[in-house]
Amino acid sequence: MKQHWWKILAVLILFYTFFVGLLVPLKPGVIAVSPDSAKSGEEVRLEIQGYNTNFLKGSKDIRAWLKIGEDRSIPSNNILVKGDELMYAFFQLPNFLPVEAPVTEVSLIIDNPIDGAFVLPSAIFASQDQVNANQGKLLWRTGNINGLHELDQMTYPFRNILQESIRNMYFHVPLWFGMIIILLGAVYCSARYLSSGNRLHDMQAVALTQVGVVFGLLGLLTGAIWAKYTWNAWWSFDVKQNMSAIAVLIYMAYFVLRSSFEDIEKQSRLGAVYNIFAFAALIPLLFIIPRLTDSLHPGNGGNPGFGGEDLDNTMRMVFYPAIIGWTLLGVWMAQLKLRTEQLQERLSWDDA
């Protein structure tokens, strides 16, 4: 039992990842606001569609604001609640906006004691015929937003584009992290084989590389599913997608190379050298090239990665253990594959 503690740990962590990652609810949020534009000096009625909200239950104390910049806002004149996920908020827009621009983005903030406070950035675009930022700053006051409530339960952040698919953070991303760690272990084993000539090290490298490729394929699959829900296409030929696919193909070629030689020693030596160079190619493909060009993928091409509200402290409680759990599972799979290969080799010796 003492020798298998890490396997038990892997199972417990993955069970925790699935249970907590899939069952903890998302924070309340706003899916859509209509209309998406308004003009200064006019009264606007915003139709607000919520998600996981309790507008009806908290209707007595519900409040809403339109906010420009860091501190300028106006409160709603009236709120009409139609259901837990549908409400209308009425705003009288001042004659001037507090910015030196004819059009600006306006955020929507909603607060009630049950849902807490939540915001939809760039909810609408406000326009003005005449620009007078100083007068606008007097009309859009500071300090309007106060007494906000906090949601007293464990939740994940609501992101309007991602919505429930944000839970894929516990599968797609940890699979790639696990793949990189496992393939790094394969490089270490390949280097040890080249220095010692011990076939066991080569067999370990092969087993780890096989599991790494499986993780890479699962990473591509989960990424394609996520892309379908967020980018509306399974495969949009984004640079990150393309480079990830090329990286997996490079590692699949590792097995083609090994099968090209019948001599086991030549298989092992050339395979070990190729494995080291394949990992060296993996780093620029995944982490450098996508950052140099435009990309939809978070963390690449000027598109910020997950942080702040995207990957908050609650998500970190699941995300980081998920990396450990998937990595331990991959090592376990490689160990089983290694033992299978060793048994098959012994059986072939006995038959001979």
Side-chain angles (χ1 to χ4, degrees):
M1 181 65 70
K2 292 182 179 180
Q3 296 178 350
H4 303 290
W5 65 269
W6 59 274
K7 300 175 184 177
I8 299 173
L9 179 63
V11 173
L12 292 176
I13 290 177
L14 290 178
F15 177 80
Y16 166 80
T17 299
F18 278 90
F19 184 80
V20 180
L22 296 179
L23 295 184
V24 170
L26 267 62
K27 289 180 180 178
V30 177
I31 295 178
V33 172
S34 179
D36 60 2
S37 62
K39 193 171 183 179
S40 60
E42 297 181 350
E43 183 180 42
V44 59
R45 185 192 75 167
L46 297 181
E47 180 183 286
I48 302 167
Q49 297 181 14
Y51 181 87
N52 272 356
T53 52
N54 294 277
F55 294 153
L56 197 59
K57 296 177 183 177
S59 59
K60 292 182 179 180
D61 300 302
I62 195 167
R63 299 179 294 167
W65 298 266
L66 290 178
K67 183 170 178 286
I68 295 178
E70 294 296 326
D71 53 5
R72 304 288 172 175
S73 63
I74 58 170
S76 63
N77 297 330
N78 186 30
I79 292 178
L80 179 62
V81 176
K82 290 294 186 178
D84 274 338
E85 296 185 344
L86 178 62
M87 61 173 270
Y88 294 91
F90 298 82
F91 296 91
Q92 179 62 51
L93 296 185
N95 292 325
F96 301 100
L97 301 176
V99 293
E100 296 283 354
V103 180
T104 189
E105 298 177 349
V106 183
S107 299
L108 172 68
I109 300 174
I110 300 175
D111 175 76
N112 71 60
I114 300 176
D115 297 326
F118 50 95
V119 59
L120 176 64
S122 305
I124 65 171
F125 288 90
S127 61
Q128 57 183 347
D129 292 331
Q130 295 181 348
V131 176
N132 190 333
N134 292 329
Q135 186 66 26
K137 290 177 181 178
L138 296 176
L139 299 172
W140 292 74
R141 299 181 180 179
T142 61
N144 281 330
I145 305 173
N146 53 60
L148 298 178
H149 298 86
E150 293 186 8
L151 187 62
D152 189 21
Q153 69 180 92
M154 182 178 178
T155 55
Y156 297 138
F158 173 84
R159 306 303 292 169
N160 193 40
I161 297 176
L162 299 177
Q163 298 181 23
E164 292 289 349
S165 71
I166 198 172
R167 302 178 191 275
N168 201 10
M169 275 290 293
Y170 308 134
F171 306 98
H172 172 66
V173 183
L175 280 168
W176 282 108
F177 272 97
M179 180 199 76
I180 293 170
I181 295 171
I182 289 168
L183 291 178
L184 182 60
V187 169
Y188 172 74
C189 293
S190 293
R192 289 193 66 185
Y193 171 78
L194 290 175
S195 63
S196 66
N198 189 338
R199 175 154 166 74
L200 175 62
H201 299 321
D202 178 62
M203 295 177 71
Q204 291 172 337
V206 172
L208 288 168
T209 305
Q210 288 174 329
V211 175
V213 170
V214 171
F215 274 32
L217 292 173
L218 290 175
L220 290 174
L221 176 61
T222 53
I225 295 172
W226 208 353
K228 176 61 177 177
Y229 282 93
T230 55
W231 304 342
N232 200 32
W234 297 100
W235 196 271
S236 59
F237 294 96
D238 181 79
V239 62
K240 186 75 169 186
Q241 289 179 318
N242 293 339
M243 295 302 103
S244 300
I246 291 172
V248 173
L249 288 173
I250 288 174
Y251 268 97
M252 293 179 71
Y254 165 77
F255 301 104
V256 176
L257 174 67
R258 293 183 65 94
S259 63
S260 301
F261 300 95
E262 295 184 0
D263 183 72
I264 295 178
E265 184 177 349
K266 187 175 291 186
Q267 266 187 18
S268 302
R269 191 162 295 276
L270 290 176
V273 173
Y274 184 93
N275 208 344
I276 294 172
F277 281 98
F279 189 83
L282 183 70
I283 304 304
L285 286 173
L286 295 184
F287 300 108
I288 298 178
I289 295 177
R291 292 178 181 272
L292 300 178
T293 58
D294 293 332
S295 175
L296 293 169
H297 196 283
N300 300 283
N303 188 5
F306 284 90
E309 186 67 13
D310 294 300
L311 186 60
D312 65 358
N313 290 333
T314 304
M315 293 192 71
R316 290 187 178 95
M317 293 170 59
V318 184
F319 176 72
Y320 293 124
I323 295 175
I324 298 172
W326 287 109
T327 302
L328 290 177
L329 177 64
V331 174
W332 190 0
M333 293 169 61
Q335 188 182 76
L336 292 174
K337 181 63 178 177
L338 174 62
R339 290 180 178 178
T340 301
E341 292 296 327
Q342 287 176 325
L343 288 174
Q344 290 178 346
E345 196 169 82
R346 288 176 184 176
L347 288 174
S348 64
W349 290 343
D350 293 339
D351 293 340

